[in-house]
Short mmCIF file of all heavy atoms in Angstrom, two decimals:
data_model
loop_
_atom_site.label_atom_id
_atom_site.label_comp_id
_atom_site.label_asym_id
_atom_site.label_seq_id
_atom_site.Cartn_x
_atom_site.Cartn_y
_atom_site.Cartn_z
N HIS A 1 0.56 1.09 1.67
CA HIS A 1 1.51 -0.01 1.53
C HIS A 1 1.94 -0.52 2.91
O HIS A 1 2.11 0.26 3.83
CB HIS A 1 2.73 0.50 0.76
CG HIS A 1 3.70 -0.57 0.37
ND1 HIS A 1 3.50 -1.39 -0.72
CD2 HIS A 1 4.87 -0.97 0.93
CE1 HIS A 1 4.52 -2.22 -0.83
NE2 HIS A 1 5.36 -1.99 0.17
N GLY A 2 2.11 -1.83 3.02
CA GLY A 2 2.61 -2.43 4.25
C GLY A 2 1.52 -3.08 5.09
O GLY A 2 0.41 -2.54 5.20
N CYS A 3 1.82 -4.24 5.68
CA CYS A 3 0.84 -4.93 6.54
C CYS A 3 1.59 -5.91 7.45
O CYS A 3 2.51 -6.60 7.00
CB CYS A 3 -0.17 -5.69 5.69
SG CYS A 3 -1.51 -6.43 6.67
N PRO A 4 1.19 -5.99 8.75
CA PRO A 4 1.84 -6.93 9.66
C PRO A 4 1.29 -8.35 9.54
O PRO A 4 1.91 -9.29 10.03
CB PRO A 4 1.52 -6.35 11.04
CG PRO A 4 0.20 -5.68 10.85
CD PRO A 4 0.23 -5.12 9.45
N LEU A 5 0.12 -8.51 8.91
CA LEU A 5 -0.47 -9.84 8.75
C LEU A 5 -0.06 -10.43 7.41
O LEU A 5 0.34 -9.72 6.49
CB LEU A 5 -2.00 -9.76 8.82
CG LEU A 5 -2.62 -9.16 10.09
CD1 LEU A 5 -4.13 -9.27 10.05
CD2 LEU A 5 -2.07 -9.81 11.35
N ARG A 6 -0.19 -11.74 7.31
CA ARG A 6 0.08 -12.45 6.05
C ARG A 6 -1.10 -13.38 5.77
O ARG A 6 -0.98 -14.60 5.80
CB ARG A 6 1.39 -13.24 6.15
CG ARG A 6 2.63 -12.36 6.27
CD ARG A 6 2.86 -11.57 4.99
NE ARG A 6 4.05 -10.72 5.05
CZ ARG A 6 4.04 -9.43 5.38
NH1 ARG A 6 2.89 -8.85 5.73
NH2 ARG A 6 5.14 -8.71 5.38
N CYS A 7 -2.25 -12.75 5.51
CA CYS A 7 -3.48 -13.53 5.32
C CYS A 7 -3.38 -14.42 4.09
O CYS A 7 -2.95 -13.98 3.02
CB CYS A 7 -4.68 -12.59 5.18
SG CYS A 7 -4.98 -11.59 6.66
N GLN A 8 -3.80 -15.66 4.24
CA GLN A 8 -3.72 -16.62 3.15
C GLN A 8 -4.61 -16.24 1.98
O GLN A 8 -4.38 -16.70 0.86
CB GLN A 8 -4.08 -18.02 3.66
CG GLN A 8 -3.07 -18.59 4.64
CD GLN A 8 -3.45 -19.98 5.13
OE1 GLN A 8 -4.59 -20.42 4.98
NE2 GLN A 8 -2.49 -20.68 5.71
N PHE A 9 -5.62 -15.42 2.22
CA PHE A 9 -6.54 -15.03 1.14
C PHE A 9 -6.26 -13.61 0.63
O PHE A 9 -7.04 -13.08 -0.16
CB PHE A 9 -7.99 -15.10 1.62
CG PHE A 9 -8.27 -14.27 2.85
CD1 PHE A 9 -8.48 -12.90 2.75
CD2 PHE A 9 -8.31 -14.85 4.11
CE1 PHE A 9 -8.74 -12.13 3.88
CE2 PHE A 9 -8.56 -14.10 5.24
CZ PHE A 9 -8.76 -12.73 5.13
N CYS A 10 -5.16 -12.99 1.05
CA CYS A 10 -4.91 -11.58 0.72
C CYS A 10 -4.97 -11.33 -0.78
O CYS A 10 -4.38 -12.05 -1.58
CB CYS A 10 -3.54 -11.17 1.25
SG CYS A 10 -3.15 -9.43 0.95
N HIS A 11 -5.72 -10.28 -1.18
CA HIS A 11 -5.79 -9.94 -2.60
C HIS A 11 -4.85 -8.79 -2.95
O HIS A 11 -4.82 -8.35 -4.09
CB HIS A 11 -7.23 -9.63 -3.02
CG HIS A 11 -7.88 -8.53 -2.26
ND1 HIS A 11 -8.60 -8.74 -1.10
CD2 HIS A 11 -7.92 -7.21 -2.48
CE1 HIS A 11 -9.06 -7.59 -0.64
NE2 HIS A 11 -8.66 -6.64 -1.46
N ASN A 12 -4.08 -8.30 -1.96
CA ASN A 12 -3.05 -7.29 -2.24
C ASN A 12 -1.71 -7.69 -1.63
O ASN A 12 -1.11 -6.93 -0.87
CB ASN A 12 -3.47 -5.92 -1.67
CG ASN A 12 -4.50 -5.22 -2.53
OD1 ASN A 12 -4.54 -5.40 -3.73
ND2 ASN A 12 -5.35 -4.42 -1.90
N PRO A 13 -1.18 -8.91 -1.94
CA PRO A 13 0.09 -9.31 -1.34
C PRO A 13 1.26 -8.41 -1.79
O PRO A 13 2.31 -8.42 -1.16
CB PRO A 13 0.28 -10.75 -1.84
CG PRO A 13 -0.50 -10.81 -3.11
CD PRO A 13 -1.70 -9.92 -2.88
N ASP A 14 1.03 -7.64 -2.84
CA ASP A 14 2.08 -6.72 -3.30
C ASP A 14 2.24 -5.54 -2.35
O ASP A 14 3.17 -4.73 -2.51
CB ASP A 14 1.80 -6.23 -4.73
CG ASP A 14 0.35 -5.85 -4.98
OD1 ASP A 14 -0.53 -6.31 -4.23
OD2 ASP A 14 0.09 -5.09 -5.92
N THR A 15 1.36 -5.42 -1.34
CA THR A 15 1.54 -4.36 -0.32
C THR A 15 2.46 -4.83 0.81
O THR A 15 2.80 -4.04 1.68
CB THR A 15 0.19 -3.93 0.30
OG1 THR A 15 -0.35 -5.03 1.06
CG2 THR A 15 -0.80 -3.49 -0.75
N TRP A 16 2.82 -6.11 0.83
CA TRP A 16 3.56 -6.64 1.96
C TRP A 16 4.98 -6.09 2.04
O TRP A 16 5.41 -5.62 3.08
CB TRP A 16 3.63 -8.17 1.90
CG TRP A 16 2.32 -8.83 2.15
CD1 TRP A 16 1.16 -8.24 2.56
CD2 TRP A 16 2.04 -10.23 2.00
NE1 TRP A 16 0.16 -9.18 2.67
CE2 TRP A 16 0.67 -10.41 2.35
CE3 TRP A 16 2.78 -11.33 1.62
CZ2 TRP A 16 0.06 -11.65 2.31
CZ3 TRP A 16 2.17 -12.57 1.59
CH2 TRP A 16 0.83 -12.73 1.94
N GLY A 17 5.73 -6.18 0.95
CA GLY A 17 7.13 -5.79 1.06
C GLY A 17 7.77 -5.39 -0.26
O GLY A 17 8.98 -5.20 -0.32
N SER A 18 6.98 -5.26 -1.30
CA SER A 18 7.55 -4.87 -2.59
C SER A 18 7.85 -3.38 -2.59
O SER A 18 7.57 -2.66 -1.64
CB SER A 18 6.56 -5.19 -3.71
OG SER A 18 5.49 -4.26 -3.71
N ASN A 19 8.44 -2.91 -3.67
CA ASN A 19 8.71 -1.48 -3.81
C ASN A 19 7.69 -0.80 -4.71
O ASN A 19 7.94 0.29 -5.23
CB ASN A 19 10.13 -1.27 -4.38
CG ASN A 19 11.20 -1.73 -3.41
OD1 ASN A 19 11.09 -1.48 -2.21
ND2 ASN A 19 12.21 -2.41 -3.91
N LYS A 20 6.54 -1.46 -4.89
CA LYS A 20 5.52 -0.91 -5.77
C LYS A 20 4.60 0.04 -5.01
O LYS A 20 3.48 -0.31 -4.65
CB LYS A 20 4.70 -2.04 -6.40
CG LYS A 20 5.51 -2.93 -7.33
CD LYS A 20 4.64 -4.01 -7.95
CE LYS A 20 5.42 -4.88 -8.90
NZ LYS A 20 4.60 -5.95 -9.48
N TYR A 21 5.11 1.20 -4.71
CA TYR A 21 4.28 2.22 -4.06
C TYR A 21 4.78 3.60 -4.48
O TYR A 21 5.90 3.76 -4.98
CB TYR A 21 4.30 2.07 -2.54
CG TYR A 21 5.65 2.22 -1.90
CD1 TYR A 21 6.18 3.48 -1.61
CD2 TYR A 21 6.40 1.10 -1.54
CE1 TYR A 21 7.41 3.63 -1.01
CE2 TYR A 21 7.64 1.22 -0.94
CZ TYR A 21 8.14 2.49 -0.67
OH TYR A 21 9.36 2.63 -0.08
N GLU A 22 3.89 4.58 -4.26
CA GLU A 22 4.24 5.97 -4.56
C GLU A 22 4.18 6.76 -3.26
O GLU A 22 3.26 6.58 -2.46
CB GLU A 22 3.23 6.54 -5.57
CG GLU A 22 3.47 8.00 -5.93
CD GLU A 22 2.44 8.56 -6.88
OE1 GLU A 22 1.54 7.80 -7.30
OE2 GLU A 22 2.52 9.76 -7.20
N GLU A 23 5.16 7.61 -3.04
CA GLU A 23 5.13 8.47 -1.86
C GLU A 23 4.31 9.73 -2.17
O GLU A 23 4.55 10.42 -3.16
CB GLU A 23 6.54 8.85 -1.44
CG GLU A 23 7.32 7.67 -0.86
CD GLU A 23 8.61 8.09 -0.18
OE1 GLU A 23 9.09 9.21 -0.47
OE2 GLU A 23 9.12 7.32 0.65
N MET A 24 3.32 9.99 -1.31
CA MET A 24 2.44 11.15 -1.50
C MET A 24 2.24 11.85 -0.16
O MET A 24 2.22 11.21 0.90
CB MET A 24 1.08 10.72 -2.07
CG MET A 24 1.15 10.06 -3.43
SD MET A 24 -0.49 9.57 -4.04
CE MET A 24 -1.23 11.18 -4.37
N SER A 25 2.06 13.16 -0.22
CA SER A 25 1.76 13.93 0.99
C SER A 25 0.26 13.94 1.24
O SER A 25 -0.54 13.64 0.34
CB SER A 25 2.27 15.36 0.85
OG SER A 25 1.49 16.06 -0.13
N ALA A 26 -0.13 14.30 2.45
CA ALA A 26 -1.55 14.44 2.78
C ALA A 26 -2.22 15.48 1.89
O ALA A 26 -3.35 15.29 1.44
CB ALA A 26 -1.71 14.80 4.26
N ASP A 27 -1.52 16.57 1.62
CA ASP A 27 -2.08 17.63 0.76
C ASP A 27 -2.33 17.12 -0.65
O ASP A 27 -3.35 17.45 -1.26
CB ASP A 27 -1.15 18.83 0.73
CG ASP A 27 -1.14 19.61 2.04
OD1 ASP A 27 -2.19 19.60 2.73
OD2 ASP A 27 -0.11 20.20 2.39
N GLN A 28 -1.41 16.33 -1.17
CA GLN A 28 -1.58 15.78 -2.52
C GLN A 28 -2.82 14.90 -2.60
O GLN A 28 -3.62 15.01 -3.54
CB GLN A 28 -0.35 14.96 -2.92
CG GLN A 28 0.86 15.76 -3.32
CD GLN A 28 2.05 14.86 -3.61
OE1 GLN A 28 2.54 14.14 -2.74
NE2 GLN A 28 2.52 14.90 -4.85
N ILE A 29 -2.98 14.02 -1.62
CA ILE A 29 -4.13 13.12 -1.62
C ILE A 29 -5.42 13.89 -1.45
O ILE A 29 -6.42 13.64 -2.14
CB ILE A 29 -3.98 12.06 -0.51
CG1 ILE A 29 -2.89 11.06 -0.90
CG2 ILE A 29 -5.30 11.33 -0.24
CD1 ILE A 29 -2.59 10.02 0.13
N LEU A 30 -5.42 14.86 -0.53
CA LEU A 30 -6.64 15.61 -0.27
C LEU A 30 -7.05 16.44 -1.48
O LEU A 30 -8.24 16.51 -1.82
CB LEU A 30 -6.44 16.50 0.95
CG LEU A 30 -7.70 17.03 1.64
CD1 LEU A 30 -8.67 15.90 1.96
CD2 LEU A 30 -7.33 17.79 2.90
N ARG A 31 -6.09 17.03 -2.16
CA ARG A 31 -6.41 17.79 -3.37
C ARG A 31 -7.06 16.90 -4.42
O ARG A 31 -8.04 17.27 -5.05
CB ARG A 31 -5.13 18.43 -3.95
CG ARG A 31 -4.74 19.75 -3.34
CD ARG A 31 -3.77 20.52 -4.21
NE ARG A 31 -2.56 19.77 -4.49
CZ ARG A 31 -1.46 19.80 -3.73
NH1 ARG A 31 -1.44 20.55 -2.63
NH2 ARG A 31 -0.40 19.12 -4.06
N GLN A 32 -6.51 15.71 -4.56
CA GLN A 32 -7.05 14.76 -5.53
C GLN A 32 -8.44 14.30 -5.12
O GLN A 32 -9.36 14.22 -5.94
CB GLN A 32 -6.11 13.56 -5.66
CG GLN A 32 -6.42 12.65 -6.83
CD GLN A 32 -5.33 11.61 -7.04
OE1 GLN A 32 -4.17 11.82 -6.67
NE2 GLN A 32 -5.68 10.48 -7.63
#
């Protein structure tokens, strides 16, 4: 989540500043 650019063609604008994300640890991601 999060990006410093605001590309006009962005297909994930919901990563810019919304609260639609999950907090995960490195261990959680690696296990998955």
Side-chain angles (χ1 to χ4, degrees):
H1 188 80
C3 186
L5 303 185
R6 293 293 180 264
C7 297
Q8 293 180 344
F9 56 81
C10 182
H11 57 270
N12 283 330
D14 43 339
T15 66
W16 291 352
S18 74
N19 294 319
K20 295 182 179 178
Y21 61 83
E22 179 183 358
E23 290 192 340
M24 298 180 69
S25 69
D27 288 330
Q28 283 177 298
I29 288 177
L30 198 52
R31 276 198 302 270
Q32 191 171 334

